[in-house]
Amino acid sequence: AKSAEIKTDVSEVLNISHRGASGHAPEHTILAYQLGEDMQGDYIEIDLQMTKDGELVALHDETLERTTNGTGLVKDYTLAEIKKLDAGSWFNEKYPDKAKKEYVGLTVPTFDEVIEKFGKDNKYYIETKSPEVYPGMEEKLLEKLHKHGLVGKDKEASNAIVQSFSPESLKKMHELDKNVPLVQLLWYEDESKLATITDEELKKYKEYTIGVGMNFAPIDKTYVQKVREHDLEIHPYTVNEKEDMKKLLEWGVTGMFTNFPDRLEEILEES
Ligand code: G3P
Ligand code: CA
């Protein structure tokens, strides 16, 4: 028999500020994170890279070119060197209609600085990026999560979710500490083809995660419902248009990553 549709409780849907409110301000800067907070985002999404001297910094790319005035690999520079870079001017050049003087000279924040600024009662959705390039990244992150009081007595009481495309990185986190909620990221290369997910895959993810996140374009209602039947969270990325947000909510997603948390907030308020 066909099982009953699993509906979304709109009041529980997670509004995840992707790289901060990065549709409005330069991604992964304190200003972009603050804007995400002001726009009622529930979680601040942080991508992590590691410097030559082992500091965790908030940057999406392994390289510096796209979002700073530096060049080369993050791992080849010390934190002091990274701190000299301008992480905001690129945004003004790329989006002149959204440019602001205050973005000039913004710096790359360390993980510690982000948590110190927004506090342990806030919520963070942290991605271990390129963990194979940064041995020891998981241990370092876990140590910091504990230091900042972001790990609770169980998964529900923890204020940080750790996400990764790397199952190895997540399994390592799972081995190190069972109280950190984990999300497996997935990427479907051919977005013109409908994505499917099997019970076997979902059972495998369920062993170490609370849910999955994937590019939203190739998924459909069947996909979303399948994930929910396994009692897993489903947080598609990166959803920027209101029509897509509405559609995904109707299908039953439990949260989404967006560069425009203000838009998702409006949809959630209307629902
Ligand atoms: O973490 C969810 C989503 O952000 C994954 O893609 O490349 O934006 O980190 P990316
Ligand atoms: Ca990410």
Side-chain angles (χ1 to χ4, degrees):
K2 199 173 178 298
S3 47
E5 182 177 337
I6 305 168
K7 300 264 194 203
T8 286
D9 178 350
V10 173
S11 68
E12 291 187 354
V13 167
L14 302 184
N15 185 346
I16 308 155
S17 300
H18 184 246
R19 315 183 192 178
S22 59
H24 299 281
E27 66 180 58
H28 293 313
T29 59
I30 295 288
L31 259 183
Y33 296 148
Q34 181 63 58
L35 209 50
E37 292 300 290
D38 298 345
M39 293 174 170
Q40 311 299 317
D42 298 306
Y43 275 79
I44 296 174
E45 199 235 1
I46 309 171
D47 295 310
L48 289 181
Q49 305 281 340
M50 202 153 98
T51 64
K52 189 177 175 180
D53 48 346
E55 270 301 322
L56 294 177
V57 290
L59 275 168
H60 176 274
D61 300 359
E62 262 174 68
T63 49
L64 295 163
E65 281 81 354
R66 186 178 60 86
T67 61
T68 76
N69 58 345
T71 56
L73 296 164
V74 179
K75 74 176 176 65
D76 291 337
Y77 293 92
T78 62
L79 178 63
E81 288 165 332
I82 301 271
K83 276 290 180 189
K84 292 195 186 113
L85 302 175
D86 176 339
S89 291
W90 70 273
F91 184 90
N92 288 352
E93 284 153 30
K94 189 166 178 190
Y95 306 106
D97 52 323
K98 296 183 182 184
K100 290 203 172 133
K101 271 210 300 274
E102 65 201 90
Y103 298 159
V104 176
L106 290 176
T107 54
V108 174
T110 63
F111 179 71
D112 284 332
E113 284 168 346
V114 179
I115 311 302
E116 279 155 20
K117 164 82 184 163
F118 296 100
K120 73 172 182 50
D121 296 324
N122 225 307
K123 296 194 165 187
Y124 306 92
Y125 209 126
I126 305 153
E127 181 175 352
T128 56
K129 278 275 181 219
S130 318
E132 65 288 346
V133 176
Y134 306 113
M137 185 181 221
E138 291 81 6
E139 287 85 349
K140 186 151 284 184
L141 173 58
L142 192 58
E143 182 194 304
K144 289 187 182 292
L145 292 177
H146 279 282
K147 183 183 90 176
H148 291 292
L150 292 171
V151 185
K153 63 177 187 343
D154 54 29
K155 287 196 198 79
E156 290 69 31
S158 288
N159 275 355
I161 294 174
V162 174
Q163 47 163 340
S164 191
F165 284 102
S166 162
E168 292 75 25
S169 182
L170 292 178
K171 285 178 187 170
K172 191 165 178 188
M173 288 295 296
H174 184 68
E175 285 310 311
L176 291 168
D177 195 325
K178 303 277 186 290
N179 292 335
V180 181
L182 305 173
V183 164
Q184 178 67 59
L185 296 176
L186 306 168
W187 163 249
Y188 297 101
E189 181 83 39
D190 184 357
E191 294 198 324
S192 67
K193 205 169 123 242
L194 202 59
T196 56
I197 195 157
T198 64
D199 291 318
E200 288 66 37
E201 278 174 88
L202 288 162
K203 278 183 202 153
K204 191 178 68 183
Y205 299 141
K206 182 114 184 167
E207 286 170 15
Y208 60 96
T209 74
I210 60 157
V212 285
M214 70 295 303
N215 45 328
F216 78 91
I219 68 170
D220 64 356
K221 185 171 182 177
T222 306
Y223 184 112
V224 174
Q225 289 291 311
K226 176 83 136 183
V227 173
R228 299 273 330 254
E229 280 162 23
H230 285 257
D231 201 21
L232 283 163
E233 304 291 327
I234 173 164
H235 301 157
Y237 60 85
T238 304
V239 191
N240 292 328
E241 301 304 328
K242 283 185 165 183
E243 287 314 307
D244 292 319
M245 292 171 179
K246 281 187 204 164
K247 185 181 72 181
L248 289 162
L249 286 174
E250 279 163 19
W251 291 349
V253 304
T254 57
M256 50 191 117
F257 295 84
T258 178
N259 298 342
F260 297 92
D262 48 340
R263 293 181 189 169
L264 179 52
E265 190 56 25
E266 279 176 38
I267 300 288
L268 293 173
E269 276 169 17
E270 286 164 15
S271 303

